[in-house]
Amino acid sequence: MSGYGADAPILIADELRHSFGRVPALQGVSFDLHPGEVLGVVGESGSGKTTLVRALSGELVPQGGRVLYRDREGELLDLHALPEGRRRRLYRTDLGTVRQNPRDGLRMTVSAGANVGERLMALGQRHYGSIRAQAEDWLARVEVDPDRLDDVPAQLSGGMQQRLQIARNLVSGPRLVFMDEPTAGLDVSVQARLLDLLRGLVADLGLAVVLVTHDLGVARLLAHRLMVMQHGEVVETGLTDQVLDDPQHAYAQLLVSSILPV
C-alpha cells in the first residue's frame, strides 16, 4: 500500500492482450482510472473496445496482462488472480456492470424488486422489509415508478429495463462501474433522460466509470477523459474536449469527422 492516497488509481489495466484466433483484439492496452473519473472508450466496430470492457468486467480472462483494482483498504488486487468466491463478491459489491442489452444484466424471471434486492443480500442484508424499502427508493431514484416493484422486467419498457439495471448495479454502493453502450438502441428522448440520470448519479455518488460508447456525443457529455482504440491498440488518449476538438492521430481525426462507422 506504499504511496496510497485519495488520488491513487482505483483501477489499473496493465498491458492487456487478447486475440480471437489470429485476430488481435487487445494489443498491450494500459491505462489508470482514478476515483470519480469517467473514462470514455471509443473506436469503430472491431476496434477492441467491447473486448476491453469484457476483460475489465470479469466476463473474459485476457490472455496477457493484468486488471488491478484498489480495494477499500487500499490494497491492489489482481482481479483475475483472486479466488473465484472473492472475485464474484467484489463484482457484486464494489464493482458493477451496465450492459448494452439490459436483458443481459437482469434476471428476467424475477421481480424488479428482487433484481435490486439480490445485490443487497450479497452485502449480507437479510431483513425483507429493509431490502424492499431500499429497492423502492432506488426505483424512484432511477425514475421507475415504485409501484412496478413486483413486476418482472419483461413488463417494463426498454428504457425502464435499462434504468432498473442501473439501480441493480448501484444499490450496493459500488466504487467502480463498467458501462457498455448504456444508451444504445433507445429512442432519442429516452436516451436524453437516461444520460441526464447517469450524469447526475455519477457525480452524486463519486463513481469511477469506464464507458464504452459508439456515440461521441455521449462521450462528450459523460466522459472526463477519452481513449481512442484501433485494431486493439490505444492510438490516442486525453481530455475529452481536447481529443474531440483537436484530435492528433490520423485515425482519431477520421473518427471524429464521422468518416468511420462506429
Side-chain angles (χ1 to χ4, degrees):
M1 297 195 303
S2 175
Y4 172 64
D7 56 353
I10 190 173
L11 181 74
I12 300 172
D14 180 25
E15 287 292 318
L16 296 180
R17 297 182 179 277
H18 199 83
S19 297
F20 297 101
R22 296 183 178 181
V23 180
L26 298 174
Q27 300 194 69
V29 174
S30 297
F31 64 86
D32 293 351
L33 181 72
H34 293 263
E37 181 183 24
V38 179
L39 173 67
V41 183
V42 299
E44 65 184 315
S45 179
S47 63
K49 58 186 189 293
T50 295
T51 302
L52 174 63
V53 80
R54 289 181 65 205
L56 298 175
S57 65
E59 185 179 341
L60 176 146
V61 178
Q63 294 160 343
R66 300 178 299 167
V67 178
L68 304 175
Y69 166 68
R70 193 180 305 278
D71 69 10
R72 297 175 191 265
E73 287 70 47
E75 181 181 359
L76 269 179
L77 307 174
D78 184 339
L79 289 175
H80 292 293
L82 289 175
E84 182 67 14
R86 189 178 183 192
R87 187 178 67 83
R88 283 183 176 273
R89 179 174 174 79
L90 274 176
Y91 277 107
R92 294 171 66 184
T93 56
D94 282 29
L95 294 83
T97 303
V98 176
R99 303 184 186 280
Q100 175 177 347
N101 186 341
R103 290 175 175 267
D104 296 331
L106 295 171
R107 289 189 59 197
M108 300 300 292
T109 57
V110 303
S111 69
N115 267 282
V116 177
E118 283 182 346
R119 297 277 291 201
L120 295 173
M121 294 180 69
L123 294 174
Q125 296 192 32
R126 293 294 182 267
H127 189 280
Y128 174 79
S130 174
I131 291 173
R132 186 175 177 88
Q134 291 177 77
E136 287 179 339
D137 178 68
W138 264 98
L139 287 191
R141 195 165 182 177
V142 299
E143 302 175 0
V144 175
D145 188 340
D147 289 342
R148 308 299 298 270
L149 189 73
D150 296 317
D151 291 350
V152 296
Q155 295 175 283
L156 306 177
S157 68
M160 292 172 68
Q161 287 180 14
Q162 192 62 294
R163 294 196 293 275
L164 174 62
Q165 187 188 185
I166 292 167
R168 174 181 169 91
N169 275 276
L170 299 189
V171 68
S172 62
R175 303 167 67 227
L176 170 61
V177 177
F178 308 111
M179 297 185 182
D180 185 8
E181 304 280 9
T183 62
L186 299 176
D187 292 341
V188 174
S189 60
V190 175
Q191 183 182 94
R193 288 179 59 195
L194 185 61
L195 284 171
D196 284 342
L197 174 68
L198 284 173
R199 185 166 56 174
L201 288 171
V202 167
D204 291 347
L205 301 174
L207 294 174
V209 177
V210 177
L211 169 71
V212 168
T213 180
H214 72 281
D215 190 325
L216 299 182
V218 170
R220 188 186 289 275
L221 186 66
L222 293 180
H224 302 118
R225 188 158 53 97
L226 207 60
M227 192 165 77
V228 181
M229 294 187 65
Q230 180 187 28
H231 303 316
E233 294 184 278
V234 177
V235 298
E236 185 162 347
T237 186
L239 296 177
T240 300
D241 286 345
Q242 291 178 342
V243 173
L244 293 181
D245 294 340
D246 187 24
Q248 300 300 302
H249 191 277
Y251 173 80
Q253 292 170 0
L254 292 175
L255 192 71
V256 170
S257 299
S258 300
I259 294 174
L260 295 174
V262 292

